[in-house]
Amino acid sequence: MTVKNDVPYFSQTKNLVDPTGSCGSTSLTMALKFFGVKGEFFDNNSTPDDVTNLFRSQGLDTGSPEDIRSICTYLGLSDELLLAGTLRDIYQALNSGFLVIAHGYFTPSGHILLISGYDGSNFIVNDPNGEWFSSGYQDSTVGKDLTYSARLIVAACSAFSYEDFINYYTTFPSLVDVSNMWLHIIGK
């Protein structure tokens, strides 16, 4: 089965405000644009920098799961925050018309990306940092509609450090039963 949502893409590397640390606000901006959110603090012309500045004006952290949920709901979307998420949760959300924002150790300091669909056992992601490879991220601003394996998503999103992620990704025989991913189920 395939689910694919055409989610607008933004590269965090093009952000003027905190380009190396704005993956959370950049992923949230993609979801806000996809769902057509408009209001006092967000409209068609809003950028990830605007969302990052909104976080800062509220004293919130763009990488905090609770703070992402706070801004998301403040701007009018629902955000079911799962701190014990599973692959099944991701598939169910996407099948029900939701998007998923996932926290993981794709980088040593952690990273956040948006999952917009799947094709079989691979996920379709908008990665605000470009494309991940086992050697690290490509120096690229193109991260729209990338294909990441379920193994990659679960290894990064269930790890407690970058070293754990690399170990999980290269040695785990099965990751399907992992239930500790931090996921935002985002909808209208």
Side-chain angles (χ1 to χ4, degrees):
M1 184 170 172
T2 299
V3 171
K4 185 174 185 308
N5 292 296
D6 187 21
V7 177
Y9 178 74
F10 292 94
S11 169
Q12 75 183 68
T13 63
K14 290 185 175 180
N15 294 348
L16 299 175
V17 180
D18 195 16
T20 60
S22 57
C23 51
S25 55
T26 303
S27 295
L28 180 55
T29 302
M30 292 186 244
L32 292 164
K33 291 280 188 176
F34 175 78
F35 286 112
V37 170
K38 293 181 182 80
E40 181 180 354
F41 298 104
F42 194 86
D43 62 30
N44 288 336
N45 298 316
S46 295
T47 67
D49 287 336
D50 297 323
V51 176
T52 299
N53 286 331
L54 180 58
F55 272 86
R56 289 179 173 187
S57 74
Q58 302 292 315
L60 302 176
D61 179 349
T62 63
S64 160
E66 292 82 6
D67 291 355
I68 290 172
R69 179 177 58 186
S70 178
I71 292 293
C72 186
T73 58
Y74 179 71
L75 292 173
L77 291 180
S78 66
D79 181 345
E80 179 185 357
L81 175 59
L82 304 178
L83 299 178
T86 66
L87 277 177
R88 184 174 187 200
D89 293 323
I90 297 172
Y91 285 116
Q92 285 179 337
L94 295 169
N95 286 335
S96 299
F98 295 92
L99 298 177
V100 178
I101 293 176
H103 298 250
Y105 277 98
F106 298 90
T107 66
S109 61
H111 184 54
I112 300 167
L113 53 73
L114 184 139
I115 303 172
S116 61
Y118 66 90
D119 185 3
S121 64
N122 293 313
F123 288 104
I124 302 165
V125 305
N126 278 7
D127 190 327
N129 201 32
E131 186 169 3
W132 185 88
F133 291 90
S134 58
S135 58
Y137 273 92
Q138 290 289 353
D139 187 20
S140 171
T141 58
V142 180
K144 181 176 175 56
D145 294 336
L146 300 175
T147 301
Y148 284 4
S149 68
R151 181 183 196 84
L152 173 62
I153 294 293
V154 173
C157 296
S158 66
F160 296 102
S161 69
Y162 185 74
E163 293 77 22
D164 282 349
F165 158 54
I166 296 300
N167 183 45
Y168 295 170
Y169 185 64
T170 57
T171 62
F172 267 18
S174 172
L175 299 171
V176 175
D177 294 328
V178 172
S179 61
N180 67 331
M181 293 189 285
W182 291 0
L183 307 171
H184 301 264
I185 310 302
I186 308 290
K188 273 234 170 193

